[in-house]
Amino acid sequence: MVNEIDNYRLPELMRKIEKVINQNPSPIEGVNVIYQFNITGDEEGTFQLHLADGKATVSENVEDANCTLVLSIENFRKFLVGKLNGTAAFMTGKLKIKGDLGKAIKLEGLLREYNLKEHL
């Protein structure tokens, strides 16, 4: 059986993340950060997730990000649904982080709160 998340192309996946976060903005209240995802592999792309004023916005326009995560599309999908631990991925080279490491750790916690595997 194919995992549902595998059915999403990268742009669709990013729009879905934006939608899920905006349906329940309470976990991001008071958060003001720009995450950039540099995705490699079968699907490549650069997307930013802007969290500000209790709202999530996904963009392909690149601004200065607080934290950039570089990983393959396969590992990105696993990371989103909690099947890839960020710290372990970083330590094994599956995830590269540029910028604020603390914000990267916070992202993993936020994703857990949204339980994306229930929505994807």
Side-chain angles (χ1 to χ4, degrees):
M1 186 168 131
V2 175
N3 197 339
E4 287 294 318
I5 194 169
D6 293 333
N7 293 330
Y8 288 97
R9 306 276 308 157
L10 183 57
E12 295 171 305
L13 187 56
M14 296 306 296
R15 284 191 298 276
K16 183 71 173 174
I17 293 165
E18 178 184 66
K19 181 180 176 186
V20 168
I21 292 173
N22 285 325
Q23 287 174 342
N24 176 19
S26 59
I28 62 166
E29 299 227 355
V31 175
N32 189 357
V33 63
I34 299 173
Y35 290 105
Q36 182 167 312
F37 301 94
N38 294 349
I39 306 301
T40 64
D42 293 341
E43 284 188 67
E44 294 187 355
T46 299
F47 287 86
Q48 289 189 333
L49 175 63
H50 298 244
L51 303 177
D53 303 320
K55 183 170 173 37
T57 307
V58 169
S59 172
E60 290 185 71
N61 298 329
V62 177
E63 297 178 27
D64 286 337
N66 302 103
C67 179
T68 300
L69 294 87
V70 181
L71 66 169
S72 71
I73 185 64
E74 295 84 10
N75 287 331
F76 181 57
R77 288 179 172 128
K78 290 176 188 175
F79 179 70
L80 289 176
V81 297
K83 291 185 177 182
L84 179 68
N85 176 282
T87 303
F90 180 73
M91 299 300 283
T92 59
K94 292 179 180 177
L95 167 65
K96 293 180 176 72
I97 299 170
K98 299 174 188 170
D100 191 330
L101 189 58
K103 294 207 184 307
I105 293 167
K106 176 135 179 101
L107 174 64
E108 188 167 21
L110 283 172
L111 292 176
R112 239 182 273 124
E113 283 191 57
Y114 283 101
N115 195 15
L116 289 173
K117 68 181 170 187
E118 295 295 319
H119 301 281
L120 298 172

